[in-house]
Amino acid sequence: MPKHSPKFIIVVVQLIGLGLLYYLSTEKYPVFHLLTEFFSIVIGITIFLITFNSSRFLKNNYLISVGIAFLFIAILDVFHALAMPDFGLGIVPESHSIQLWIAARFF
């Protein structure tokens, strides 16, 4: 039995993932939207953690401010994701979903 290279397996997994994302974006858009929102939340929290943990090395306070701002943007995105009309959990009224998204983008 021939062994497949790890690169081949990685490429196959990536293609399956892209196909799944395409399917979700066309057939089940609310799930796709929720996945993309949580992906942006993870990125925002990661940027905050990197800047927070490296704050003692940074001499420019602007970068620390940007890192803290990304934390608040991620928090607004969490509330936006929880207030989506299809996934409304009752934490935030559904009418505020778009307002939270605009506030996060403005911030």
Side-chain angles (χ1 to χ4, degrees):
M1 219 169 132
K3 292 186 176 183
H4 296 290
S5 67
K7 290 182 182 179
F8 176 75
I9 294 172
I10 291 171
V11 168
V12 169
V13 169
Q14 288 175 344
L15 288 174
I16 291 171
L18 285 174
L20 180 65
L21 285 175
Y22 177 73
Y23 170 75
L24 288 175
S25 70
T26 57
E27 299 296 324
K28 309 238 183 248
Y29 183 75
V31 176
F32 175 75
H33 185 118
L34 191 66
L35 284 174
T36 55
E37 286 295 329
F38 282 131
F39 184 70
S40 69
I41 291 165
V42 168
I43 289 173
I45 292 173
T46 302
I47 290 173
F48 166 73
L49 289 174
I50 289 171
T51 57
F52 183 74
N53 289 327
S54 63
S55 62
R56 63 178 176 249
F57 303 115
L58 296 174
K59 295 179 181 173
N60 190 351
N61 290 333
Y62 174 74
L63 295 175
I64 297 170
S65 299
V66 169
I68 293 170
F70 267 100
L71 176 66
F72 287 105
I73 292 169
I75 290 170
L76 286 173
D77 277 342
V78 166
F79 286 126
H80 164 70
L82 294 176
M84 289 189 334
D86 295 330
F87 290 106
L89 299 177
I91 296 173
V92 178
E94 293 178 1
S95 62
H96 296 309
S97 177
I98 296 173
Q99 294 172 0
L100 287 166
W101 182 81
I102 291 172
R105 297 305 157 256
F106 180 72
F107 193 44

